[in-house]
Amino acid sequence: MIKLNTDFLRTVNGILKIAEFVLILILLMIIRFGGANHSALSLGSVNDSFLGQGTVVGYAIIVPAIVVTYLLGGNVSILEMVINLIGGVLFLVVGGLAIAHNGRIANGSLFAVGMLSVVTGLVFLADLGWLVKHTKFSFQTRT
């Protein structure tokens, strides 16, 4: 029988992962239903929408996978740190683009996406900072 490491959810890293996932789910719902007549929300140009939707959907898959890894007994990896760095940058960019295009669209959904994306990016960067500060790395050399 598989034993889940639910203690992870009570750590700083676990709380940050839960916060990331909740923010991503909120963004996913706003982007999907925040447009006119509950259609998908455009983030400005086709390229901006592609970047925003791709980032949100991609991280809606990645973050739960990381949480499941921890629940199954996994540890911090360098890959997770890279994912946090890229996620932080991507969400900050998406937030900036959404806020920049907010003036052209009267719907408040775009401003909400912009602000929530910035907050999500900052949470990813905070998670990265916490991991870097509290993770001890050891490297093995082969001769």
Side-chain angles (χ1 to χ4, degrees):
M1 178 169 221
I2 297 175
K3 184 176 185 231
L4 296 179
N5 177 21
T6 56
D7 292 339
F8 159 74
L9 299 173
R10 291 186 285 272
T11 65
V12 173
N13 192 15
I15 292 168
L16 288 171
K17 287 293 174 214
I18 292 168
E20 290 166 6
F21 186 58
V22 168
L23 287 166
I24 289 168
L25 285 179
I26 293 169
L27 280 167
L28 189 63
M29 293 299 112
I30 295 172
I31 288 174
R32 174 57 189 95
F33 299 109
N37 298 321
H38 305 294
S39 63
L41 180 66
S42 172
L43 299 179
S45 71
V46 172
N47 291 331
D48 294 345
S49 292
F50 187 75
L51 176 67
Q53 293 167 355
T55 298
V56 173
V57 171
Y59 276 86
I61 296 167
I62 292 169
V63 172
I66 292 172
V67 171
V68 168
T69 301
Y70 278 118
L71 289 173
L72 294 175
N75 294 317
V76 175
S77 68
I78 294 175
L79 176 62
E80 180 184 356
M81 292 184 188
V82 171
I83 288 170
N84 283 342
L85 175 64
I86 293 170
V89 170
L90 282 173
F91 278 104
L92 288 174
V93 168
V94 169
L97 290 171
I99 291 170
H101 290 297
N102 183 51
R104 289 187 251 159
I105 300 173
N107 188 343
S109 297
L110 197 53
F111 184 73
V113 167
M115 294 308 294
L116 283 172
S117 293
V118 169
V119 169
T120 305
L122 293 175
V123 171
F124 270 102
L125 294 177
D127 191 7
L128 172 65
W130 190 90
L131 286 175
V132 167
K133 183 176 180 184
H134 293 93
T135 302
K136 181 181 178 185
F137 294 101
S138 61
F139 296 96
Q140 296 178 349
T141 57
R142 297 180 186 186
T143 56

